[in-house]
Amino acid sequence: MIGLFAVTAAGRRSAAELAGRLGPDAVVADGPIAPAVRRLWDHLDAAVFFLASGAAVRLVAPLLRDKHSDPGVVCVDDDRRFAIALTGGHAGGALAEQVADVLGCTPVVTAASDSTGTTPLDELVDQLDATVDGDLAACGGAILDGWSVRLVNPHGFPLPALPPNVSAHPEAPLWTVVIDDRRPTENEERTLRLIPRTLVVGVGAARGVSRTAVTETIARLDREHGLDPRAIRAVASVDLKADEDGILEAVQDLGFWHSDGGEELSLLTYPAEALAGIEVPNPSEVASAAAGTPSVAEASALHAAAELGGGAPVELVVPKIKGDDVTAAAARIRPRGRLAIIGIGPGAPDLRTPRADVELRRASVVVGPDEHLDRVRHLLRPGTEVRATGAEAVALAREGRAVALVGGAAMADLVLEEAGADIELVGVPGVTAALAASALLGGPLGHDHALIGLSDAHTPWEVIERRVRAAAEADLVACFHNPSSGQLGRALEILAEHRPVTTPVGAVRGAGRAGERVWCVPIGDFDPAEVDASTTVVVGTSRSTVVDGRMVTRRTPTDA
């Protein structure tokens, strides 16, 4: 339960607005505030006070126990300028940001880790899918306390924005953070190692090979070549070895290194003809005669790494080594720059997906127009670079950066033609303006529909007009974005030639934002001059009607 407490008329209005956005878990307390707080306190997961911070502190102070069990408490001033996290540890900071999102105010979070609920290292471990070797909590605490920390990232993993006290060449570092799939050459005090799963081990063997022989040969990758077994993502071989007990049991042994709850280690197998086409440094006639491919260990390691990497570059880091009736080799999936194309929805914070928030925090550079960036600036990590030109996004990702492009599909065409396999592309869908408008209007998109842009900036008007006419003749609902009064008027004329005069036309301006307007009138009465660039217009079909003020498109004919 989220308790909302207010004493002034302005506070009560804000509490009611917040309750409407937070959903059924939010309860606006009635009556005198002090008894209400005492009555509800033990049932609260969070509390928001619409009054002076000093008064809020005095109300909750006698009820507090510890940061782990106390509800998150946030205080909002009457003018709705600030949402201040008072108590509740990480929960308080997260709540302050959520409240600020809904009410359009500034979150104030004084605890260093509360704005995300974690230290920077916690999220970094999750992003890299890394095994931790060292005291993560102590190192993360040192970062939050402002101590100098050295970052060693020899393979160039794309990282989020990190605090300024974390750098590659700091003065007198207290801690060192190493991101590597190799064993350290020497043990250093106050070193935290993050071990990403970048390695694939290829194995070739004679029939009946022993578990011990396979395990011992793979262990030499660590002992002789310094590869950390915790970095092994998979073991690979030719499909003739899919049922080889010695290999399967050795993979099970290797799984011991992955007992941290991560993805289970697996044996991947491939047809000989797939491996035969892989160029390797040490082909073998013996392997070709026995398995149908000149290489098993090297070829399967490279082939599996390329498959798991999804287009990332791969390299053979340990060529074939020979054991007792077994060979092994290791390939590395190299990191590459990352570009996330993020849709942030029509404007309302609660219509932005959680995945979009995660990707924004993951980026070290965020690119997009100011009108989009202004909605998400409070989510960005301190130190995140902000760029305005979408054309920069691909170049920055090619430099190995973690980049977020804000704008979704509207921006995607600017970068997808330039982007190749040399960068990792991630798409994060947003709630479209059409879907937001449809929900506000009722259900106009319940049957087949067409989304048509009316801007002729990049598409000739005669092409747009043909599309409108096609939608009209096909009796499709037409949803227009980027309308202007002249172009919209002509589009409505075309549709009216094929629709009854009672056909409803719905419009939504600024869906989910302050000043939102929703209206619906018959096609003959719709005034195009009322729309602007932020309006979405939905024109019904012969099956569309208005029921209790809501626009509906039936799936069956009206006379069915």
Side-chain angles (χ1 to χ4, degrees), residues 12-30:
R12 285 191 290 272
R13 286 193 297 269
S14 296
E17 179 181 345
L18 183 60
R21 293 293 186 88
L22 294 180
D25 287 342
V27 175
V28 180
D30 293 327

Side-chain angles (χ1 to χ4, degrees), residues 155-159 311 313 334-340 364-365 367 387 390-404 414-425:
H155 300 304
F157 285 91
L159 305 179
R334 292 197 56 82
R336 51 185 170 160
R338 194 171 194 276
L339 174 58
S364 62
V365 186
V367 183
R387 307 286 184 92
E392 297 179 273
V394 173
L396 290 164
R398 285 202 173 109
E399 293 175 5
R401 309 287 295 277
V403 183
L414 299 175
V415 299
L416 291 178
E417 291 185 4
E418 299 179 34
D422 54 338
I423 61 175
E424 179 185 2
L425 282 172

Side-chain angles (χ1 to χ4, degrees), residues 362-508:
R362 183 169 184 165
S364 62
V365 186
V366 177
V367 183
D370 285 341
E371 63 267 25
H372 291 160
L373 293 178
D374 286 345
R375 300 181 207 163
V376 298
R377 288 184 196 275
H378 64 285
L379 296 172
L380 307 185
R381 290 179 177 276
T384 301
E385 293 183 38
V386 176
R387 307 286 184 92
T389 307
E392 297 179 273
V394 173
L396 290 164
R398 285 202 173 109
E399 293 175 5
R401 309 287 295 277
V403 183
L405 178 65
V406 177
M411 303 286 288
D413 64 327
L414 299 175
V415 299
L416 291 178
E417 291 185 4
E418 299 179 34
D422 54 338
I423 61 175
E424 179 185 2
L425 282 172
V426 179
V428 181
V431 176
T432 66
L435 291 176
S438 178
L440 291 167
L441 288 166
L445 303 185
H447 199 41
D448 295 342
H449 53 273
L451 307 180
I452 303 175
L454 292 182
S455 170
D456 58 1
H458 302 290
T459 305
W461 174 250
E462 55 268 24
V463 174
I464 297 173
E465 188 167 319
R466 284 202 305 271
R467 294 171 179 171
V468 175
R469 193 172 298 280
E473 293 173 352
D475 200 23
L476 299 176
V477 172
C479 183
F480 296 124
H481 58 91
N482 295 327
S484 67
S485 58
Q487 293 165 329
L488 178 59
R490 177 56 186 149
L492 293 176
E493 289 176 3
I494 295 171
L495 290 166
E497 295 171 4
H498 301 266
R499 308 280 161 93
V501 294
T502 55
T503 299
V505 178
V508 177

Side-chain angles (χ1 to χ4, degrees), residues 23 46 89 109 124 134 180 183 193 212 217 268 294 382 405 407 479 501:
V109 182
L124 184 57
D180 201 354
R183 293 280 195 186
R193 296 183 60 239
T212 302
T217 304
L268 306 177
L405 178 65
C479 183
V501 294

